[in-house]
């Protein structure tokens, strides 16, 4: 079992990550005032001291503690550390992302260090800091306290000696509307709005004083959802039924950073910190060869043919920042990608990751020794990528059997199909259905045929986004009866054959047959009398069209129902 201490933005994100597992966990806040939705987690509220936390962890078999509490909740962090040591329970600290410290800001370690050569101060450090700042008032400094606009905070402010005219309130989207010489902030990170507060204070010409965040020392620290996911997978593997992996883009970035750092510092470091596109940092294991660094592609439980391949990076000095494709990295031969034909098949997100992580003029050459052979088992030949694999990845992390990864592949195929200039794009479920529909469109190029797998709805939405005017949907009966019932994702994990709905289709078609013992929809081709097949097929297509055509409101959609022998029905 996992126990999360939250009440913060990071706590909310932790809940989102843990909810994906479908397993139970506990979420603890001090006040119980955070609005958060949980389906599998159990909410507990109220402060826990060391004794009560020890009892709770023992009684509920807590195996991991996730500390996603506010960085300045020092007493809670200390208690968590003590309980962790006593019970030998690992702690994952879900830290915030912090911008570099601006030298123009006055940084202090304690409230007693606030400069006293000011006339007035706006303190945004929370209601608990009022008593610690009262000494400034005794020195003749006017202090205004900005607190949360809730009754419990106002009562506590009054208890610490603040008067009503000294209080102002945090409101969503509120600007700094208090005229003081200086402002006191906590180093609250990006999620705490620190950068925005600094920028606003600078614009008003205010002197900025910032209280440094406390130093925390937990053995496992993350600063984003993917890091938390992978830390839980490592420490408690059974919590998630399937485990995540890394994209080829993340692996290439890790190898490039390792090669660059080894040249710069002369040290062979592993694992390597890598900043992902969402701004968080994860660590990635790497290795070193003669003049290059490498990363082994880790697909997790995702069925990926690139799992286990070696992705290498060589880094050389340059007057500009360059990314080249070496052995086993394919090249674009068709339009429709982020880069023109002839460019190495390294997509935009991995290029930006390498640039962000290195931020220096170098020449990076990415190579994949087994890339040519592996590429034959990917989408690449269909996409017009020749000579190797492509280096891809939007988020940097691959979730097992993730819709994101497959839909991203569909989007690439649709973009290439559009760029081919063909008059029509033909979407189909796979090799068998594609073979049949190709016979109807012998003049269309290969790029015009796109596999949707199970994601019919998403594929049609992409067609609409790309403003593709003519789409043909080829579908076989197993998926068609699910689609006709309104299931735009036909995967067996999402929906199963609905015999009651099929019986309705048969009745609408004037067909009376017994399907009580039917296990597969395609059996209908044999059970329905031949002279009634056309009526049934047309009824199925009409129901499919009812759900599909609204997804392409500005285009023409043709739906083809295909039987097991390749006969095609169309309304």
């Amino acid at each position: 079992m996992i126990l999360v201490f939250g009440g913060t933005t990071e706590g909310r994100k932790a809940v989102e990550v843990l909810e994906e597992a479908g397993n139970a966990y506990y979420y603890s806040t001090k006040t119980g005032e955070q609005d958060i939705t949980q389906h599998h987690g159990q909410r507990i509220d109220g402060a826990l001291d060391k004794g009560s936390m020890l009892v709770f962890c023992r009684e509920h078999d807590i195996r991991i503690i996730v500390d996603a509490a506010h960085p300045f909740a020092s007493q809670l962090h200390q208690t968590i550390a003590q309980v962790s040591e006593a019970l030998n329970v690992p702690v994952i600290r879900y830290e915030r992302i912090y911008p570099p410290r601006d030298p123009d800001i006055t940084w202090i370690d304690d409230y007693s260090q606030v400069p006293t050569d000011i006339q007035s101060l706006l303190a945004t450090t929370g209601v608990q800091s009022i008593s610690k700042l009262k000494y400034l008032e005794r020195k003749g400094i006017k202090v205004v306290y900005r607190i949360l606009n809730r009754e419990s905070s106002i009562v506590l402010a009054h208890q610490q000696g603040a008067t009503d005219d000294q209080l102002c309130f945090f409101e969503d989207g509120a600007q700094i509307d208090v005229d003081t010489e200086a402002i006191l902030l906590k180093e609250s990170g990006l999620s705490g709005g620190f950068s925005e507060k600094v920028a606003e204070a600078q614009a008003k010409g205010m002197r900025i004083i910032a209280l440094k965040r406390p130093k925390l020392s937990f053995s496992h620290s993350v600063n984003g959802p993917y890091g938390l996911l992978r830390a839980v997978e490592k420490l408690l593997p059974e919590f998630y039924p399937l485990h995540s992996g890394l994209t080829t883009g993340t692996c290439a970035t890790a190898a490039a950073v390792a090669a660059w750092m080894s040249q710069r510092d002369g040290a062979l470091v592993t694992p390597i910190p890598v900043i992902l596109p969402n701004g968080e940092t994860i660590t990635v294991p790497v290795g070193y060869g003669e003049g290059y660094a490498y990363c082994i592609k880790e697909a997790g439980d995702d069925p990926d043919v690139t799992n286990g391949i070696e992705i290498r990076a060589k880094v050389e000095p340059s007057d500009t920042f360059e990314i080249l494709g070496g052995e086993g990295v394919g090249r674009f031969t068709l339009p429709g990608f982020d880069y023109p034909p002839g460019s190495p098949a390294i997509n935009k997100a991995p290029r930006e990751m390498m640039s962000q992580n290195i931020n220096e003029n170098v020449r990076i050459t990415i190579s994949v020794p087994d890339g040519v052979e592996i590429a034959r088992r990917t989408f690449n030949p269909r996409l017009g990528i020749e000579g190797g694999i492509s280096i891809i990845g939007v988020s940097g992390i691959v979730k097992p059997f993730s819709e994101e990864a497959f839909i991203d592949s569909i989007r690439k195929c649709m973009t290439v199909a559009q760029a081919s200039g063909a008059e029509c794009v033909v979407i189909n479920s796979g090799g068998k259905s594609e073979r049949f529909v190709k016979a109807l469109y012998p003049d269309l190029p290969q790029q015009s045929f796109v596999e949707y797998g199970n994601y019919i709805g998403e594929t049609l939405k992409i067609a609409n986004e790309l403003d593709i005017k003519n789409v043909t949907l080829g579908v076989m009966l197993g998926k068609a009866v699910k689609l006709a019932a309104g299931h735009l994702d036909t995967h067996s994990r999402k929906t199963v054959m609905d015999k009651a709905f099929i019986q309705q289709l048969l009745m609408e078609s004037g067909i009376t047959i017994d399907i009580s013992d039917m296990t597969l929809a395609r059996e209908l081709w044999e059970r329905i009398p031949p002279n009634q097949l056309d009526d049934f097929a047309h009824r199925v297509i009409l129901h499919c069209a009812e759900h599909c055509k609204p997804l392409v409101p500005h285009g023409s959609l043709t739906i083809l129902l295909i039987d097991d022998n390749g006969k095609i029905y169309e309304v």
Side-chain angles (χ1 to χ4, degrees):
M1 193 70 77
I2 297 176
L3 171 61
V4 181
F5 289 94
T8 57
T9 299
E10 289 69 36
R12 188 184 300 279
K13 290 179 180 178
V15 164
E16 293 173 359
V17 172
L18 298 182
E19 283 285 328
E20 293 179 9
N23 286 320
Y25 63 94
Y26 293 97
Y27 185 75
S28 173
T29 65
K30 182 178 180 180
T31 64
E33 294 176 312
Q34 186 183 31
D35 183 18
I36 196 164
T37 301
Q38 297 174 265
H39 299 289
H40 305 288
Q42 183 174 331
R43 181 78 172 260
I44 58 173
D45 296 314
L48 294 176
D49 59 19
K50 180 181 177 181
S52 57
M53 193 183 298
L54 281 168
V55 170
F56 185 91
C57 290
R58 288 193 180 107
E59 290 182 348
H60 296 87
D61 190 27
I62 299 301
R63 307 277 298 282
I64 294 176
I65 296 174
V66 177
D67 181 357
H70 195 283
F72 284 83
S74 300
Q75 182 58 58
L76 176 58
H77 301 315
Q78 182 180 345
T79 302
I80 290 172
Q82 292 170 347
V83 170
S84 169
E85 183 178 3
L87 300 180
N88 195 27
V89 173
V91 176
I92 303 171
R93 169 59 186 164
Y94 195 143
E95 191 55 275
R96 300 183 174 187
I97 298 174
Y98 296 94
R101 286 177 177 165
D102 186 341
D104 292 332
I105 293 175
T106 300
W107 294 94
I108 61 174
D109 297 302
D110 185 80
Y111 290 108
S112 64
Q113 297 175 353
V114 174
T116 56
D117 58 342
I118 54 175
Q119 300 299 313
S120 57
L121 176 72
L122 171 62
T124 68
T125 44
V127 68
Q128 296 285 358
S129 68
I130 292 176
S131 62
K132 300 173 184 178
L133 295 171
K134 277 294 178 179
Y135 77 95
L136 296 174
E137 296 181 42
R138 292 192 291 270
K139 291 181 179 290
I141 299 172
K142 176 186 176 182
V143 183
V144 178
Y145 303 100
R146 191 172 183 182
I147 65 173
L148 294 174
N149 189 9
R150 59 191 183 198
E151 185 177 354
S152 59
S153 297
I154 295 171
V155 169
L156 185 55
H158 289 159
Q159 290 174 349
Q160 295 188 67
T163 59
D164 285 337
D165 61 354
Q166 286 184 290
L167 300 180
C168 64
F169 302 102
F170 286 101
E171 303 287 355
D172 290 339
Q175 304 295 310
I176 297 175
D177 53 4
V178 177
D179 185 17
T180 58
E181 178 185 344
I183 184 171
L184 175 63
L185 306 172
K186 284 181 176 177
E187 188 182 15
S188 56
L190 297 183
S191 64
F194 183 78
S195 297
E196 290 81 1
K197 293 172 187 174
V198 167
E200 190 177 351
Q202 287 174 334
K204 291 181 175 294
M206 302 174 77
R207 180 177 177 180
I208 303 171
I209 306 161
L211 182 67
K212 296 177 185 176
R213 67 185 185 274
K215 292 183 179 180
L216 302 177
S217 56
F218 291 113
S219 55
H220 305 280
S221 182
V222 303
N223 65 353
Y226 295 128
L228 177 61
L229 170 67
R230 291 177 65 77
V232 173
E233 289 173 344
K234 178 181 178 181
L235 295 171
L236 193 62
E238 63 270 29
F239 188 74
Y240 288 97
L242 296 171
H243 291 176
S244 65
L246 302 175
T247 64
T248 51
T250 297
C251 294
T253 300
V257 173
W260 171 62
M261 289 174 62
S262 67
Q263 284 193 359
R264 184 191 63 183
D265 305 327
L268 306 183
V269 177
T270 189
I272 290 291
V274 173
I275 303 172
L276 297 179
N278 70 349
E280 71 172 287
T281 300
I282 64 169
T283 55
V284 180
V286 296
Y288 296 88
E290 190 64 39
Y292 65 88
Y294 65 87
C295 179
I296 302 299
K297 172 71 161 66
E298 170 202 344
D301 287 320
D302 199 57
D304 188 339
V305 296
T306 64
N307 184 47
I309 65 172
E310 182 180 297
I311 300 176
R312 297 178 178 178
K314 179 181 179 182
V315 174
E316 302 168 291
S318 176
D319 293 332
T320 60
F321 185 82
E322 302 177 80
I323 300 175
L324 307 179
E327 174 192 4
V329 174
R331 289 192 172 274
F332 299 126
T333 65
L334 296 172
F337 292 92
D338 295 325
Y339 302 94
S343 302
I346 302 173
N347 286 2
K348 183 177 181 180
R351 290 174 185 258
E352 291 179 343
M353 283 178 66
M354 290 183 225
S355 175
Q356 181 183 14
N357 278 270
I358 294 178
N359 194 26
E360 184 177 300
N361 284 340
V362 292
R363 180 183 300 111
I364 303 169
T365 303
I366 303 298
S367 58
V368 183
D370 297 324
V372 175
E373 173 59 32
I374 294 294
R376 298 190 179 102
R377 290 179 274 157
T378 69
F379 275 123
N380 282 7
R382 181 184 299 270
L383 291 169
I385 297 174
E386 299 179 357
I389 70 166
S390 47
I391 305 300
I392 60 175
V394 176
S395 67
I397 299 293
V398 175
K399 293 185 179 179
F401 301 97
S402 67
E403 295 184 10
E404 178 186 2
F406 197 92
I407 292 170
D408 187 49
S409 296
I410 294 172
R411 186 178 298 278
K412 290 181 173 63
C413 290
M414 294 287 281
T415 303
V416 171
Q418 181 189 45
S420 72
E423 62 183 19
C424 177
V425 174
V426 182
I427 63 174
N428 54 88
S429 61
K432 186 175 182 180
S433 62
E434 182 175 297
R435 185 169 69 252
F436 293 141
V437 294
K438 269 187 175 179
L440 292 181
Y441 299 93
D443 297 328
L444 288 180
Q446 172 65 38
Q447 290 73 35
S448 290
F449 297 88
V450 176
E451 293 183 13
Y452 55 71
N454 290 293
Y455 303 108
I456 298 173
E458 292 296 331
T459 305
L460 291 173
K461 290 176 185 177
I462 291 170
N464 184 58
E465 291 170 11
L466 296 176
D467 198 27
I468 296 175
K469 296 300 185 185
N470 296 296
V471 179
T472 295
L473 164 62
V475 61
M476 301 190 78
L477 191 57
K479 295 184 187 298
V481 294
K482 295 179 181 180
L483 180 60
H487 300 290
L488 295 167
D489 178 347
T490 59
H491 199 288
S492 58
R493 289 178 297 163
K494 300 289 183 67
T495 181
V496 296
M497 181 180 66
D498 185 343
K499 286 187 181 179
F501 178 71
I502 293 175
Q503 193 68 64
Q504 175 190 325
L505 291 174
L506 293 168
M507 291 178 58
E508 291 176 6
S509 307
I511 301 170
T512 304
I513 59 173
D514 181 15
I515 61 170
S516 59
D517 63 339
M518 186 177 71
T519 57
L520 298 173
R522 66 169 179 259
E523 296 173 32
L524 289 165
W525 294 123
E526 301 297 329
R527 298 189 181 210
I528 296 174
N531 64 328
Q532 293 183 294
L533 284 173
D534 281 348
D535 291 339
F536 176 72
H538 290 174
R539 181 58 53 184
V540 172
I541 292 171
L542 289 174
H543 276 277
C544 290
E546 177 185 349
H547 301 293
C548 291
K549 287 194 173 181
L551 301 181
V552 282
H554 306 298
S556 171
L557 175 65
T558 300
I559 299 178
L560 306 177
L561 179 61
I562 310 163
D563 74 9
D564 288 349
N565 298 314
K567 182 177 179 179
I568 294 177
Y569 297 85
E570 178 183 359
V571 175

